[in-house]
Amino acid sequence: MESQNLFQIVQKHLCSCTQELDITPRIETLLRMPMRELHVALPICMDDGSMKAFQGFRVQYNDARGPTKGGIRFHPGQTIDTVRALAALMTWKCALHNLPLGGAKGGIICNPKELSTVELEKLSRAFIRSIFPVIGPDNDIPAPDVYTNPQVMAWMMDEYSRCVMKTSFGAITGKPLAIGGSEGRLDATARGGWFAIAEAARGLGLNLDGATVAIQGFGNAGSNAASLGRSLFGCRIVAVSDSRGGIYRREGLDPAEVARHKDQSGSVTGLPGSDPIDNEELLELGVDILVPAALENVVTDRNAGHVKAKVLAELANAPVTPEADEILASQGTHVIPDILCNGGGVIVSYLEMVQNFSMDQWTEEDVHARLAARMQAACRAVEGLTRTYGTSPRRAAYTIAVKRVVEAMQTRGWL
Ligand code: NAD
């Protein structure tokens, strides 16, 4: 297969539902184009006194339904097309979950593992100084993504506040609790994902108590998915991994023990009492539920035929290529699409914004209840359309989302 970049892949998913929606080529052209892109150079004085220039991007894909929203990723493999793709996904995700928000994404080409804390802070602040004219609580609100965390969001919120000369909590989400963060934000992506998995399991007659689970990625999404899967449903987490490799234990891993080991050693690998496994093998384990929670394009036409899981829950963005999607469908694997499965993160980011705007702080129970209500509404809508038209959950999810965006564009007089 000719290699495709992530933006082309995401556009393929869009294309499959625009045919269903009978969208004119003119509208489709607009849906396929990011509304605005900012490319910035970020010169940083490194700890050794040398100067290094990093490249950063902010892509605002579509704001028809509201201010754009999306995370900031720090990764050495970042490209403008990856950021465009993730911004498009945010547009469809926010629409599917009926949030009054459009989609955006940001990224810096860097390896945060090679930066000191001082360099990381300088880079985070420099990025915000460069993009601050196009972001803000009314137009575009960043959040964490791969290799960014609440501390990075704290520096970014602080830098934005300095730029506009007033404390502006609502400009960034995923912040620590002490400075306008929300209860429930840290595990929101995983908690929302488990809500979607539980709905799918109910439909498939799969008992989650004792169900086996393999999770790729042990960061925010993956580590919380492991602990919530065990604590909420009694699942047996048999395998987890990170960028260095994975571990397997047939009787089930204790996610808290894995987290402690990772904190001490820097990786999940080498946990006493576990067997080593690589990231490829993890995807092909004979488990009930497979959760890719790291990076994109990990299930392709090469390995999809070897996936044995009954349910594949896309906690990562775009882990499955369109070709792999077809193979998985033909072998009966139930795929919960990313824009549905990992929407919990942006839902609670939205709830964080609402609390910031209203100068309020809700309890964890309150946030969980609101997250559950929104996940339930989206899951039911996708399930309804999947049944009615005999289509895949991904196509159903895209159809609902794109229809809402097109309706907003039409109502605003853009089309
Ligand atoms: P994170 O930085 O907290 O964790 C990323 C994890 O992936 C780490 O454990 C890292 O070691 C692992 N990893 C990196 N490269 C890998 C590789 N090649 N093979 C296996 N593992 C690898 O990031 P995160 O926030 O957990 O994001 C993970 C995924 O979830 C991304 O696709 C992200 O876009 C998506 N997502 C995150 C959120 C959120 O709120 N954090 C919301 C929606 C979607």
Side-chain angles (χ1 to χ4, degrees):
M1 189 197 72
E2 200 187 319
S3 83
Q4 314 166 81
N5 72 36
L6 194 64
F7 193 42
Q8 290 169 319
I9 288 174
V10 168
Q11 299 301 46
K12 267 197 181 174
H13 291 312
L14 170 68
C15 188
S16 70
C17 88
T18 49
Q19 284 158 7
E20 206 131 311
L21 283 172
D22 202 17
I23 281 173
T24 64
R26 184 162 163 263
I27 297 178
E28 189 170 343
T29 305
L30 282 177
L31 293 176
R32 292 170 72 87
M33 243 193 285
M35 180 183 84
R36 183 181 296 124
E37 291 184 6
L38 188 56
H39 296 223
V40 295
L42 306 164
I44 301 295
C45 180
M46 308 298 280
D47 291 349
D48 64 4
S50 65
M51 285 294 281
K52 199 166 171 187
F54 295 86
Q55 200 182 2
F57 313 104
R58 185 73 184 167
V59 175
Q60 296 168 343
Y61 196 82
N62 184 301
D63 68 353
R65 287 176 48 86
T68 53
K69 175 121 197 64
I72 295 175
R73 182 178 285 197
F74 288 179
H75 198 274
Q78 192 71 272
T79 66
I80 181 61
D81 271 334
T82 312
V83 182
R84 284 178 184 135
L86 295 168
L89 283 175
M90 282 306 296
T91 305
W92 315 134
K93 195 181 304 177
C94 289
L96 174 65
H97 291 279
N98 221 353
L99 302 171
L101 297 166
K105 204 79 181 188
I108 300 179
I109 304 172
C110 68
N111 187 349
K113 292 176 187 169
E114 291 172 358
L115 299 175
S116 70
T117 305
V118 171
E119 290 165 343
L120 196 62
E121 177 174 353
K122 281 185 189 170
L123 189 59
S124 305
R125 289 185 183 276
F127 185 55
I128 292 300
R129 280 197 302 280
S130 296
I131 67 167
F132 106 86
V134 301
I135 63 168
D138 296 327
N139 42 338
D140 182 15
I141 307 99
D145 193 74
V146 174
Y147 296 154
T148 54
N149 57 30
Q151 179 57 67
V152 171
M153 296 305 113
W155 292 326
M156 290 185 169
M157 187 282 294
D158 183 68
E159 196 61 32
Y160 180 83
S161 296
R162 288 179 191 212
C163 291
V164 297
M165 298 209 304
K166 62 183 176 195
T167 293
S168 186
F169 283 167
I172 308 271
T173 62
K175 304 179 294 294
L177 272 177
I179 50 166
S182 175
E183 294 285 356
R185 176 62 184 89
L186 222 49
D187 67 10
T189 305
R191 190 174 289 272
W194 274 108
F195 195 96
I197 295 169
E199 286 282 306
R202 226 187 321 275
L204 296 167
L206 172 67
N207 183 5
L208 287 183
D209 192 8
T212 51
V213 183
I215 302 174
Q216 184 183 64
F218 203 73
N220 175 287
S223 67
N224 286 305
S227 52
L228 290 175
R230 185 166 126 135
S231 64
L232 295 179
F233 299 101
C235 291
R236 190 148 52 96
I237 314 298
V238 296
V240 299
S241 70
D242 59 26
S243 58
R244 294 204 213 154
I247 50 173
Y248 176 83
R249 191 188 282 160
R250 197 170 164 275
E251 318 78 66
L253 296 155
D254 173 358
E257 185 194 355
V258 180
R260 274 194 302 276
H261 175 74
K262 187 173 166 90
D263 278 349
Q264 284 159 10
S265 69
S267 172
V268 300
T269 56
L271 178 79
S274 71
D275 297 322
I277 183 173
D278 67 31
N279 268 295
E280 283 282 311
E281 289 168 323
L282 181 143
L283 297 170
E284 299 176 11
L285 284 173
V287 288
D288 295 310
I289 301 161
L290 174 63
V291 185
L295 295 177
E296 51 277 356
N297 285 349
V298 293
V299 181
T300 67
D301 54 351
R302 262 187 325 105
N303 59 357
H306 304 297
V307 169
K308 298 174 195 73
K310 298 182 185 80
V311 175
L312 189 158
E314 294 187 335
L315 220 46
N317 281 307
V320 174
T321 66
E323 294 74 20
D325 234 0
E326 282 177 25
I327 297 168
L328 293 170
S330 70
Q331 65 197 33
T333 313
H334 183 94
V335 177
I336 310 175
D338 47 9
I339 59 172
L340 176 64
C341 192
N342 69 31
V346 70
I347 290 172
V348 178
S349 269
Y350 161 72
L351 298 177
E352 182 176 330
M353 285 170 65
V354 175
Q355 291 170 79
N356 293 155
F357 293 154
S358 52
M359 307 280 275
D360 205 352
Q361 187 101 52
W362 301 336
T363 63
E364 195 176 41
E365 292 71 35
D366 213 349
V367 172
H368 288 171
R370 289 169 197 255
L371 168 63
R374 286 190 176 266
M375 284 304 300
Q376 185 169 49
C379 287
R380 296 274 154 91
V382 170
E383 194 197 344
L385 210 65
T386 305
R387 270 176 207 262
T388 311
Y389 294 105
T391 184
S392 71
R394 190 186 314 281
R395 199 176 276 202
Y398 266 79
T399 304
I400 294 164
V402 172
K403 201 169 168 197
R404 287 181 179 157
V405 173
V406 170
E407 189 189 353
M409 289 164 78
Q410 272 164 340
T411 311
R412 289 180 68 156
W414 293 4
L415 301 173

